[in-house]
């Protein structure tokens, strides 16, 4: 279903800009710090809202395929990793390692894009 414009990410970006450009300059001390924290949270929420969720669906499907767990495949994968099921030399080590690297990149793209050189 197509969302009506403006979308959530756009609204958050507009509100964040207003906070940073119009309100923050009038604040000082802990109020300015709090406003910057709010602006940072708004930026994270906007990036999360704008992100394509197809990778989440694909990753979950891969976890289900690897673990056989229909419910909570992420927990099943974590448990299998802790037991060494995907250690180097195992049949699916490279696949699981690539999936975890991709998931870490996707999470960083939301919460810390500067780490990836995107912010």
């Amino acid at each position: 279903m197509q969302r009506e414009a403006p979308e959530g990410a756009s609204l958050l970006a507009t509100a964040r800009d207003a906070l940073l450009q119009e309100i923050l300059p009038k604040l000082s001390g802990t109020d300015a710090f709090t406003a910057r924290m709010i602006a940072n949270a708004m930026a994270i929420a906007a990036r999360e809202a704008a992100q394509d969720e197809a990778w989440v669906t694909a990753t979950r499907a891969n976890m289900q395929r690897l673990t056989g767990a229909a419910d909570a495949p992420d927990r099943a994968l974590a448990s299998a990793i802790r037991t060494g099921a995907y250690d180097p030399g195992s049949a699916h080590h490279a696949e699981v390692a690539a999936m975890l690297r991709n998931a870490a990149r996707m999470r960083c793209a939301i919460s810390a894009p500067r780490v990836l050189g995107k912010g």
Side-chain angles (χ1 to χ4, degrees):
M1 179 173 142
Q2 186 75 8
R3 294 182 184 159
E4 287 186 37
E7 292 186 1
S10 178
L11 289 172
L12 281 166
T14 300
R16 182 177 185 271
D17 287 343
L19 175 65
L20 291 173
Q21 302 302 319
E22 298 173 28
I23 298 172
L24 182 61
K26 298 172 185 172
L27 302 175
S28 62
T30 57
D31 290 338
F33 176 77
T34 300
R36 280 190 214 89
M37 277 192 349
I38 293 168
N40 188 45
M42 292 170 84
I44 291 169
R47 287 189 297 269
E48 186 173 24
Q51 189 172 47
D52 179 10
E53 291 296 314
W55 75 272
V56 173
T57 302
T59 300
R60 183 176 176 84
N62 282 335
M63 288 179 191
Q64 288 174 331
R65 179 181 51 77
L66 288 164
T67 65
D71 295 328
D74 53 337
R75 291 178 186 260
L77 183 69
S79 178
I81 288 169
R82 282 192 296 276
T83 65
Y86 303 112
D87 281 355
S90 66
H92 296 286
H93 169 75
E95 180 182 4
V96 171
M99 183 173 48
L100 293 174
R101 277 192 300 277
N102 187 45
R105 277 198 272 314
M106 297 305 284
R107 289 182 64 104
C108 282
I110 293 171
S111 63
R114 288 183 191 159
V115 170
L116 302 174
K118 295 181 179 181

